[in-house]
Amino acid sequence: MQEQQLVDAIAKLVIEQLKNVDVYNPEDKIPVGISARHVHLCREDLETLFGKGYQLNKKKDLMGGQFAAQECVTLIGTKLRAIENVRVLGPERSKSQVEISRTDAIKLGLTAPVRLSGDLAGSAPIALVGPKGVVYLKEGCIIAKRHIHMSPADAAKFGVEDKQVVKVRFESGRGGILEDVPIRVDDSFTLEMHIDTDEANGLGIGKDMGILIK
């Protein structure tokens, strides 16, 4: 009887462990884009930094109608530490936003929260310096939360939906799994996972593909 109880207990333990094992299809591959620090600007702040009526000059097209501009700014943290040549992305937004890595935040002396783009309430303050002036943001600096961009067709292919949270496995580099990855679905998106430089360096990710785990 005791032996049967022991067998039942072990079987139950094995079943519980199997429930926590990630099941995935190695063919469910996601391209990865490594996002360096960058800045989005509203019209008012753009003119303060670069001059009245200034228009951004496109350097490279990005996803969803965005583009990397030729223009760069300097970031100044609360301890007056600076990071120079930070790329501005266009087009203009309704509110200025700075996206940095955790390593950048430490250098600048900031306590920046991990957020998805646009979620700026209560985020860190930061100053931006351009060739024509200075902008001080009382809030607006975040550490960009990793996420996956998909078109509706991609979402249907992978069997996921907008705002669903998944995991992504990496088998090259140092290897590992990134959890808590929200999916963002829009007609203008192409399939790509966005991570920052800290995450890429930590897992040894270069041009590697991630594998989606639902």
Side-chain angles (χ1 to χ4, degrees):
M1 186 65 177
Q2 290 181 342
E3 289 182 357
Q4 184 60 48
Q5 290 176 336
L6 179 59
V7 170
D8 290 344
I10 293 174
K12 183 177 180 180
L13 178 61
V14 170
I15 290 172
E16 289 300 317
Q17 290 178 336
L18 288 174
K19 288 180 180 178
N20 295 323
V21 174
D22 291 318
V23 178
Y24 61 93
N25 182 351
E27 299 304 315
D28 286 346
K29 294 183 177 180
I30 305 289
V32 178
I34 301 170
S35 181
R37 64 183 80 100
H38 59 272
V39 173
H40 301 276
L41 295 173
C42 66
R43 165 48 45 181
E44 179 181 0
D45 292 342
L46 177 63
E47 292 190 341
T48 299
L49 293 169
F50 292 96
K52 188 71 174 177
Y54 193 88
Q55 299 294 323
L56 292 173
N57 296 287
K58 185 183 297 185
K59 180 178 181 180
K60 180 182 178 181
D61 284 313
L62 303 174
M63 181 189 309
Q66 295 191 87
F67 62 88
Q70 295 179 14
E71 289 75 15
C72 294
V73 298
T74 296
L75 304 181
I76 306 290
T78 54
K79 295 184 178 180
L80 298 182
R81 296 172 181 169
I83 296 179
E84 299 178 337
N85 298 317
V86 179
R87 184 73 54 191
V88 176
L89 301 190
E92 298 162 22
R93 293 196 175 185
S94 61
K95 196 170 185 179
S96 293
Q97 172 178 306
V98 178
E99 298 181 34
I100 60 175
S101 69
R102 174 62 177 158
T103 299
D104 293 336
I106 292 171
K107 179 176 181 178
L108 293 169
L110 300 177
T111 304
V114 178
R115 301 274 184 83
L116 288 172
S117 180
D119 184 5
L120 305 179
S123 57
I126 194 167
L128 288 67
V129 182
K132 298 294 185 179
V134 178
V135 168
Y136 176 74
L137 301 178
K138 293 182 180 180
E139 59 182 21
C141 183
I142 63 172
I143 297 171
K145 184 180 180 67
R146 53 182 174 258
H147 57 279
I148 300 173
H149 288 285
M150 288 187 180
S151 68
D154 291 324
K157 172 186 172 183
F158 286 103
V160 296
E161 58 186 23
D162 188 42
K163 297 183 176 64
Q164 182 174 339
V165 177
V166 298
K167 302 177 185 179
V168 179
R169 179 186 180 94
F170 294 92
E171 296 184 335
S172 53
R174 293 181 173 179
I177 294 175
L178 290 177
E179 301 187 358
D180 191 22
V181 184
I183 290 173
R184 309 183 77 175
V185 179
D186 190 89
D187 288 325
S188 66
F189 292 161
T190 54
L191 182 63
E192 190 171 67
M193 179 181 183
H194 285 178
I195 60 175
D196 69 16
T197 51
D198 282 354
E199 292 166 324
N201 291 337
L203 290 176
I205 298 169
K207 297 182 178 180
D208 305 299
M209 301 277 280
I211 301 174
L212 184 70
I213 302 173
K214 291 181 284 186

